[in-house]
Amino acid sequence: MTAPAQPTSPRRSDATRAAILRAARERFAADGYERATIRAIAADAQIDPSMVMRYYGSKEGLFAAAAEFDLRLPDLAAVPPQQLGETLVRHFLTRWEGDETLVALLRAASTNPGAAERMRGIFADQLTAAVATFGTDPATTARRAGLVASQILGLAYTRYVVRLPPMVDTTPEDLVSWVAPTLQRYLTGTPGS
Amino acid sequence: MTAPAQPTSPRRSDATRAAILRAARERFAADGYERATIRAIAADAQIDPSMVMRYYGSKEGLFAAAAEFDLRLPDLAAVPPQQLGETLVRHFLTRWEGDETLVALLRAASTNPGAAERMRGIFADQLTAAVATFGTDPATTARRAGLVASQILGLAYTRYVVRLPPMVDTTPEDLVSWVAPTLQRYLTGTPGS
DNA sequence: GACCGTTGCCAACACTTGTTGGCAAACACT
DNA sequence: AGTGTTTGCCAACAAGTGTTGGCAACGGTC
């Protein structure tokens, strides 16, 4: 539809586009999908609301662009099997603290069907693929990935969304040492023990 | 403010009040706080939107009434210490499947500050109190309760809100056997192992 | 310098939202 | 029967929403 990605097309409006996207991520992360209004986002980006529509078509389109996200999971096949859990928690915590996109997605997925769909896609595709890279029974891969997602998202939900005091006050390193064994068991263990 | 609870006052409008509350819980659970409109709730309850205002004052008031919730946690002091985790997961799962109030609260807490505050209150008060009933170091009680909340809410979030397929398809009993050891460790274990 | 696409703002539309006031019917009580 | 209260609906308001079209200023190109 739009012009193919010509490397030589540094449009003057790219700065505006980026400003909108940044403001959108902030607002979506802070307020969720419905409370984050286009007018507020435009005000943050210091442009007119109509520009948002021109560049992103609709609010849904803006969110789709703002919620583009790559977990950037490390290659789990290269990680010592005993450290899989620790590696994963630490990775997610740093990924979260540095990029509010996932918090935006987390908040929006509670009320917006499209956001929930995107969330399912990210964890079904990226996380399941990563879990599949080391050799457990393929029949259990999806379930293991789901369990990992439940603890990871629960961690994010309580720490960044609801802000439960004990989860906010605990240092990332302490969280790692508590949660790592959980993920380790979900990834390589068996139910019951 | 209102009349004190006279046992002999079965008002005729109590049925309407209850219908509104039931519809409100359904809508809040399905759509979240902002998408659940008073008009839609009133339509479900087959009454006029203005009745909602008369009986509950405002949308916030309605939500406050609809989100009234008691975890009904069992007395953990009476549970064999080895079965604490299992007892808790099973309790939460049955509590969730049978009452959509917590799902409503879970969805709403993502975007509505008041709902998040209520969520903090429930888990800070009820869950922390339960965790405190058996004899671990009081200094670690809050953190243990927070970790339990993170796994429990993550379970609910992935299963009932985002509906990750592997978490939806897994039977409650399988979930119990996987998650129980996690809670057991959060409750009685030490970090690291 | 004339042309044309781009960038931006303003004003407005159509619609939905929570919320309010007034009025008719149903009820309770003497 | 006649009273005051309760229950319910209708119509409307003010505010805020996503979204649209038009129009001025700016940019580069011949």
Side-chain angles (χ1 to χ4, degrees):
Chain A
M1 300 303 172
T2 56
Q6 291 278 8
T8 55
S9 63
R11 301 198 157 280
R12 193 163 48 93
S13 60
D14 285 352
T16 308
R17 277 193 154 85
I20 294 176
L21 218 54
R22 186 161 9 106
R25 271 192 263 262
E26 276 181 31
R27 283 282 177 179
F28 282 134
D31 300 338
Y33 183 82
E34 11 275 335
R35 285 176 117 93
T37 72
I38 289 197
R39 282 175 168 84
I41 292 169
D44 288 357
Q46 296 182 345
I47 44 92
D48 191 86
S50 61
M51 307 300 297
V52 179
M53 306 304 297
R54 182 176 295 171
Y55 290 143
Y56 293 97
S58 67
K59 189 180 181 180
E60 289 257 352
L62 173 64
F63 179 80
E68 200 82 37
F69 194 73
D70 186 345
L71 289 178
R72 291 192 208 158
L73 288 170
D75 179 16
L76 294 187
V79 175
Q82 258 71 348
Q83 296 178 18
L84 282 170
E86 180 183 337
T87 303
L88 267 188
V89 202
R90 187 167 282 120
H91 175 82
F92 271 103
L93 277 174
T94 51
R95 196 86 184 78
W96 253 307
E97 308 273 346
D99 186 345
E100 55 200 344
T101 306
L102 243 187
V103 178
L105 196 53
L106 195 66
R107 269 224 166 80
S110 291
T111 55
N112 186 269
E117 172 63 32
R118 164 112 22 154
M119 181 76 103
R120 280 192 294 270
I122 286 180
F123 277 83
D125 299 346
Q126 304 184 30
L127 184 58
T128 306
V131 173
T133 55
F134 58 91
T136 50
D137 181 2
T140 66
T141 300
R143 176 167 301 178
R144 292 180 191 278
L147 287 164
V148 169
S150 81
Q151 175 61 93
I152 287 292
L153 291 181
L155 175 59
Y157 184 82
T158 48
R159 185 174 167 93
Y160 304 111
V161 175
V162 178
R163 292 194 219 283
L164 280 187
M167 296 304 286
V168 175
D169 299 338
T170 303
T171 67
E173 274 312 304
D174 282 345
L175 285 177
V176 167
S177 66
W178 273 105
V179 175
T182 298
L183 298 196
Q184 186 71 35
R185 193 167 51 79
Y186 290 162
L187 289 170
T188 64
T190 56
S193 144
Chain B
M1 300 301 172
T2 56
Q6 290 278 7
T8 55
S9 63
R11 300 199 159 280
R12 191 163 49 93
S13 60
D14 286 352
T16 307
R17 277 192 154 85
I20 295 175
L21 217 55
R22 185 161 9 107
R25 271 193 262 261
E26 276 181 32
R27 284 282 176 179
F28 282 134
D31 301 336
Y33 183 82
E34 13 273 336
R35 282 177 119 94
T37 72
I38 289 196
R39 282 176 168 82
I41 292 169
D44 287 357
Q46 296 183 342
I47 45 92
D48 191 86
S50 60
M51 306 302 298
V52 178
M53 306 304 297
R54 182 175 296 172
Y55 290 142
Y56 293 98
S58 67
K59 188 181 182 180
E60 289 258 351
L62 173 62
F63 179 81
E68 200 81 37
F69 195 73
D70 186 344
L71 289 179
R72 292 193 208 157
L73 288 170
D75 179 16
L76 294 186
V79 176
Q82 257 71 348
Q83 297 177 17
L84 282 170
E86 180 183 337
T87 304
L88 266 189
V89 202
R90 187 168 281 120
H91 175 82
F92 271 104
L93 277 174
T94 51
R95 196 86 184 77
W96 253 307
E97 308 274 346
D99 187 344
E100 54 201 344
T101 306
L102 242 188
V103 178
L105 196 53
L106 195 65
R107 269 224 165 79
S110 291
T111 55
N112 185 271
E117 171 63 33
R118 163 104 34 145
M119 182 76 103
R120 280 192 294 270
I122 286 180
F123 277 83
D125 298 346
Q126 304 184 30
L127 184 59
T128 305
V131 173
T133 55
F134 57 90
T136 51
D137 182 2
T140 67
T141 300
R143 176 167 300 178
R144 292 179 190 278
L147 288 164
V148 169
S150 82
Q151 175 61 92
I152 287 291
L153 290 181
L155 176 58
Y157 184 83
T158 48
R159 185 174 167 93
Y160 305 111
V161 176
V162 179
R163 294 198 159 86
L164 281 187
M167 296 304 285
V168 175
D169 299 339
T170 303
T171 66
E173 273 312 304
D174 282 346
L175 285 177
V176 167
S177 68
W178 273 105
V179 175
T182 298
L183 298 196
Q184 186 70 35
R185 193 167 50 79
Y186 290 162
L187 288 169
T188 64
T190 56
S193 146

